[in-house]
mmCIF file of all heavy atoms in Angstrom:
data_model
loop_
_atom_site.group_PDB
_atom_site.id
_atom_site.type_symbol
_atom_site.label_atom_id
_atom_site.label_comp_id
_atom_site.label_asym_id
_atom_site.label_seq_id
_atom_site.Cartn_x
_atom_site.Cartn_y
_atom_site.Cartn_z
ATOM 1 N N ARG A 32 112.161 117.095 122.594
ATOM 2 C CA ARG A 32 111.694 118.171 121.706
ATOM 3 C C ARG A 32 110.338 117.823 121.093
ATOM 4 O O ARG A 32 109.462 118.674 120.965
ATOM 5 C CB ARG A 32 112.720 118.436 120.597
ATOM 6 C CG ARG A 32 113.927 119.218 121.083
ATOM 7 C CD ARG A 32 114.741 119.890 119.984
ATOM 8 N NE ARG A 32 114.649 119.320 118.654
ATOM 9 C CZ ARG A 32 115.583 118.566 118.076
ATOM 10 N NH1 ARG A 32 116.689 118.286 118.717
ATOM 11 N NH2 ARG A 32 115.422 118.118 116.851
ATOM 12 N N MET A 33 110.160 116.568 120.713
ATOM 13 C CA MET A 33 108.870 116.142 120.161
ATOM 14 C C MET A 33 107.756 116.291 121.191
ATOM 15 O O MET A 33 106.666 116.785 120.884
ATOM 16 C CB MET A 33 108.935 114.690 119.685
ATOM 17 C CG MET A 33 109.685 114.501 118.386
ATOM 18 S SD MET A 33 109.581 112.803 117.797
ATOM 19 C CE MET A 33 111.118 112.149 118.403
ATOM 20 N N LEU A 34 108.027 115.871 122.427
ATOM 21 C CA LEU A 34 107.012 115.974 123.467
ATOM 22 C C LEU A 34 106.699 117.431 123.796
ATOM 23 O O LEU A 34 105.542 117.781 124.066
ATOM 24 C CB LEU A 34 107.458 115.217 124.723
ATOM 25 C CG LEU A 34 107.524 113.692 124.559
ATOM 26 C CD1 LEU A 34 108.121 113.058 125.797
ATOM 27 C CD2 LEU A 34 106.149 113.122 124.259
ATOM 28 N N ASP A 35 107.705 118.298 123.766
ATOM 29 C CA ASP A 35 107.467 119.728 123.979
ATOM 30 C C ASP A 35 106.573 120.297 122.886
ATOM 31 O O ASP A 35 105.677 121.094 123.143
ATOM 32 C CB ASP A 35 108.791 120.503 124.024
ATOM 33 C CG ASP A 35 109.588 120.220 125.287
ATOM 34 O OD1 ASP A 35 108.987 119.734 126.271
ATOM 35 O OD2 ASP A 35 110.812 120.474 125.275
ATOM 36 N N TYR A 36 106.807 119.866 121.647
ATOM 37 C CA TYR A 36 105.996 120.342 120.531
ATOM 38 C C TYR A 36 104.547 119.868 120.687
ATOM 39 O O TYR A 36 103.606 120.611 120.438
ATOM 40 C CB TYR A 36 106.584 119.860 119.207
ATOM 41 C CG TYR A 36 105.836 120.371 118.008
ATOM 42 C CD1 TYR A 36 105.884 121.719 117.665
ATOM 43 C CD2 TYR A 36 105.066 119.518 117.236
ATOM 44 C CE1 TYR A 36 105.193 122.206 116.572
ATOM 45 C CE2 TYR A 36 104.372 119.991 116.139
ATOM 46 C CZ TYR A 36 104.437 121.335 115.811
ATOM 47 O OH TYR A 36 103.743 121.809 114.734
ATOM 48 N N ILE A 37 104.369 118.627 121.121
ATOM 49 C CA ILE A 37 103.015 118.104 121.346
ATOM 50 C C ILE A 37 102.333 118.896 122.445
ATOM 51 O O ILE A 37 101.135 119.194 122.355
ATOM 52 C CB ILE A 37 103.071 116.597 121.663
ATOM 53 C CG1 ILE A 37 103.492 115.823 120.410
ATOM 54 C CG2 ILE A 37 101.730 116.087 122.174
ATOM 55 C CD1 ILE A 37 103.806 114.373 120.631
ATOM 56 N N ASP A 38 103.071 119.257 123.479
ATOM 57 C CA ASP A 38 102.489 120.090 124.539
ATOM 58 C C ASP A 38 102.047 121.434 123.978
ATOM 59 O O ASP A 38 101.000 121.964 124.365
ATOM 60 C CB ASP A 38 103.492 120.298 125.677
ATOM 61 C CG ASP A 38 103.627 119.056 126.542
ATOM 62 O OD1 ASP A 38 102.711 118.210 126.515
ATOM 63 O OD2 ASP A 38 104.651 118.940 127.236
ATOM 64 N N GLN A 39 102.824 122.011 123.057
ATOM 65 C CA GLN A 39 102.425 123.269 122.422
ATOM 66 C C GLN A 39 101.130 123.081 121.645
ATOM 67 O O GLN A 39 100.246 123.930 121.664
ATOM 68 C CB GLN A 39 103.503 123.762 121.461
ATOM 69 C CG GLN A 39 104.671 124.427 122.113
ATOM 70 C CD GLN A 39 105.669 124.929 121.076
ATOM 71 O OE1 GLN A 39 105.718 124.418 119.959
ATOM 72 N NE2 GLN A 39 106.451 125.920 121.450
ATOM 73 N N LEU A 40 101.013 121.971 120.925
ATOM 74 C CA LEU A 40 99.797 121.710 120.158
ATOM 75 C C LEU A 40 98.591 121.542 121.076
ATOM 76 O O LEU A 40 97.486 121.947 120.722
ATOM 77 C CB LEU A 40 99.970 120.460 119.290
ATOM 78 C CG LEU A 40 100.956 120.566 118.141
ATOM 79 C CD1 LEU A 40 101.094 119.220 117.439
ATOM 80 C CD2 LEU A 40 100.525 121.633 117.158
ATOM 81 N N ASN A 41 98.796 120.962 122.251
ATOM 82 C CA ASN A 41 97.695 120.776 123.197
ATOM 83 C C ASN A 41 97.188 122.102 123.739
ATOM 84 O O ASN A 41 96.063 122.181 124.231
ATOM 85 C CB ASN A 41 98.117 119.860 124.345
ATOM 86 C CG ASN A 41 98.192 118.411 123.924
ATOM 87 O OD1 ASN A 41 97.493 117.998 123.003
ATOM 88 N ND2 ASN A 41 99.028 117.649 124.589
ATOM 89 N N GLU A 42 97.992 123.155 123.668
ATOM 90 C CA GLU A 42 97.582 124.467 124.162
ATOM 91 C C GLU A 42 96.695 125.217 123.173
ATOM 92 O O GLU A 42 96.086 126.213 123.526
ATOM 93 C CB GLU A 42 98.820 125.310 124.484
ATOM 94 C CG GLU A 42 99.634 124.767 125.640
ATOM 95 C CD GLU A 42 100.944 125.512 125.828
ATOM 96 O OE1 GLU A 42 101.180 126.511 125.112
ATOM 97 O OE2 GLU A 42 101.734 125.081 126.675
ATOM 98 N N LEU A 43 96.630 124.745 121.924
ATOM 99 C CA LEU A 43 95.842 125.433 120.911
ATOM 100 C C LEU A 43 94.353 125.352 121.222
ATOM 101 O O LEU A 43 93.860 124.344 121.726
ATOM 102 C CB LEU A 43 96.098 124.828 119.528
ATOM 103 C CG LEU A 43 97.487 125.025 118.956
ATOM 104 C CD1 LEU A 43 97.630 124.255 117.651
ATOM 105 C CD2 LEU A 43 97.761 126.498 118.717
ATOM 106 N N ASN A 44 93.624 126.417 120.882
ATOM 107 C CA ASN A 44 92.186 126.442 121.053
ATOM 108 C C ASN A 44 91.543 125.762 119.850
ATOM 109 O O ASN A 44 91.642 126.239 118.726
ATOM 110 C CB ASN A 44 91.697 127.888 121.172
ATOM 111 C CG ASN A 44 90.205 127.962 121.387
ATOM 112 O OD1 ASN A 44 89.549 126.946 121.582
ATOM 113 N ND2 ASN A 44 89.685 129.161 121.353
ATOM 114 N N THR A 45 90.900 124.638 120.089
ATOM 115 C CA THR A 45 90.268 123.896 119.007
ATOM 116 C C THR A 45 88.749 123.896 119.140
ATOM 117 O O THR A 45 88.076 123.042 118.566
ATOM 118 C CB THR A 45 90.786 122.451 118.973
ATOM 119 O OG1 THR A 45 90.538 121.851 120.253
ATOM 120 C CG2 THR A 45 92.266 122.394 118.652
ATOM 121 N N ASP A 46 88.203 124.863 119.861
ATOM 122 C CA ASP A 46 86.754 124.963 119.983
ATOM 123 C C ASP A 46 86.153 125.225 118.611
ATOM 124 O O ASP A 46 86.606 126.086 117.862
ATOM 125 C CB ASP A 46 86.357 126.097 120.942
ATOM 126 C CG ASP A 46 86.767 125.796 122.372
ATOM 127 O OD1 ASP A 46 86.992 124.608 122.676
ATOM 128 O OD2 ASP A 46 86.866 126.749 123.171
ATOM 129 N N GLY A 47 85.133 124.481 118.264
ATOM 130 C CA GLY A 47 84.463 124.670 116.993
ATOM 131 C C GLY A 47 85.142 123.990 115.818
ATOM 132 O O GLY A 47 84.672 124.096 114.692
ATOM 133 N N VAL A 48 86.240 123.298 116.054
ATOM 134 C CA VAL A 48 86.928 122.589 114.978
ATOM 135 C C VAL A 48 86.467 121.134 115.025
ATOM 136 O O VAL A 48 86.642 120.454 116.027
ATOM 137 C CB VAL A 48 88.464 122.663 115.131
ATOM 138 C CG1 VAL A 48 89.152 121.865 114.037
ATOM 139 C CG2 VAL A 48 88.922 124.108 115.124
ATOM 140 N N GLU A 49 85.874 120.692 113.923
ATOM 141 C CA GLU A 49 85.373 119.321 113.889
ATOM 142 C C GLU A 49 86.522 118.334 113.693
ATOM 143 O O GLU A 49 87.434 118.600 112.924
ATOM 144 C CB GLU A 49 84.392 119.156 112.725
ATOM 145 C CG GLU A 49 83.116 119.921 112.900
ATOM 146 C CD GLU A 49 82.154 119.657 111.763
ATOM 147 O OE1 GLU A 49 82.128 118.521 111.257
ATOM 148 O OE2 GLU A 49 81.441 120.593 111.392
ATOM 149 N N PRO A 50 86.468 117.200 114.373
ATOM 150 C CA PRO A 50 87.481 116.168 114.151
ATOM 151 C C PRO A 50 87.384 115.662 112.716
ATOM 152 O O PRO A 50 86.297 115.606 112.141
ATOM 153 C CB PRO A 50 87.111 115.060 115.126
ATOM 154 C CG PRO A 50 86.156 115.662 116.076
ATOM 155 C CD PRO A 50 85.519 116.826 115.408
ATOM 156 N N MET A 51 88.530 115.309 112.135
ATOM 157 C CA MET A 51 88.510 114.815 110.766
ATOM 158 C C MET A 51 89.540 113.707 110.598
ATOM 159 O O MET A 51 90.506 113.617 111.345
ATOM 160 C CB MET A 51 88.796 115.945 109.791
ATOM 161 C CG MET A 51 90.138 116.597 109.942
ATOM 162 S SD MET A 51 90.306 117.899 108.729
ATOM 163 C CE MET A 51 91.560 118.874 109.507
ATOM 164 N N SER A 52 89.285 112.869 109.606
ATOM 165 C CA SER A 52 90.232 111.805 109.307
ATOM 166 C C SER A 52 91.040 112.120 108.065
ATOM 167 O O SER A 52 92.050 111.481 107.801
ATOM 168 C CB SER A 52 89.493 110.475 109.133
ATOM 169 O OG SER A 52 88.564 110.577 108.072
ATOM 170 N N HIS A 53 90.576 113.096 107.268
ATOM 171 C CA HIS A 53 91.279 113.515 106.064
ATOM 172 C C HIS A 53 91.304 115.042 106.012
ATOM 173 O O HIS A 53 90.426 115.703 106.544
ATOM 174 C CB HIS A 53 90.570 113.006 104.794
ATOM 175 C CG HIS A 53 90.542 111.526 104.691
ATOM 176 N ND1 HIS A 53 91.631 110.786 104.300
ATOM 177 C CD2 HIS A 53 89.558 110.628 104.927
ATOM 178 C CE1 HIS A 53 91.322 109.508 104.303
ATOM 179 N NE2 HIS A 53 90.070 109.389 104.687
ATOM 180 N N VAL A 54 92.301 115.577 105.344
ATOM 181 C CA VAL A 54 92.394 117.020 105.193
ATOM 182 C C VAL A 54 91.273 117.526 104.287
ATOM 183 O O VAL A 54 90.666 118.549 104.532
ATOM 184 C CB VAL A 54 93.774 117.418 104.626
ATOM 185 C CG1 VAL A 54 93.850 118.904 104.386
ATOM 186 C CG2 VAL A 54 94.884 116.975 105.566
ATOM 187 N N PHE A 55 90.983 116.758 103.240
ATOM 188 C CA PHE A 55 89.939 117.139 102.302
ATOM 189 C C PHE A 55 88.683 116.331 102.603
ATOM 190 O O PHE A 55 88.769 115.172 103.009
ATOM 191 C CB PHE A 55 90.387 116.871 100.859
ATOM 192 C CG PHE A 55 91.631 117.617 100.487
ATOM 193 C CD1 PHE A 55 92.841 116.964 100.361
ATOM 194 C CD2 PHE A 55 91.596 118.992 100.291
ATOM 195 C CE1 PHE A 55 93.993 117.646 100.031
ATOM 196 C CE2 PHE A 55 92.743 119.687 99.958
ATOM 197 C CZ PHE A 55 93.943 119.019 99.831
ATOM 198 N N PRO A 56 87.511 116.902 102.381
ATOM 199 C CA PRO A 56 86.291 116.123 102.622
ATOM 200 C C PRO A 56 86.198 114.950 101.654
ATOM 201 O O PRO A 56 86.377 115.108 100.453
ATOM 202 C CB PRO A 56 85.170 117.129 102.379
ATOM 203 C CG PRO A 56 85.773 118.251 101.622
ATOM 204 C CD PRO A 56 87.239 118.256 101.909
ATOM 205 N N VAL A 57 85.941 113.782 102.200
ATOM 206 C CA VAL A 57 85.840 112.574 101.393
ATOM 207 C C VAL A 57 84.463 111.974 101.648
ATOM 208 O O VAL A 57 84.126 111.624 102.771
ATOM 209 C CB VAL A 57 86.943 111.552 101.768
ATOM 210 C CG1 VAL A 57 86.802 110.285 100.964
ATOM 211 C CG2 VAL A 57 88.311 112.162 101.578
#
Side-chain angles (χ1 to χ4, degrees):
R32 284 199 336 256
M33 285 186 263
L34 292 174
D35 289 341
Y36 183 69
I37 291 170
D38 285 340
Q39 282 182 336
L40 292 176
N41 285 333
E42 294 173 5
L43 293 174
N44 181 7
T45 57
D46 293 340
V48 177
E49 292 183 35
M51 62 180 158
S52 60
H53 297 282
V54 177
F55 301 107
V57 178

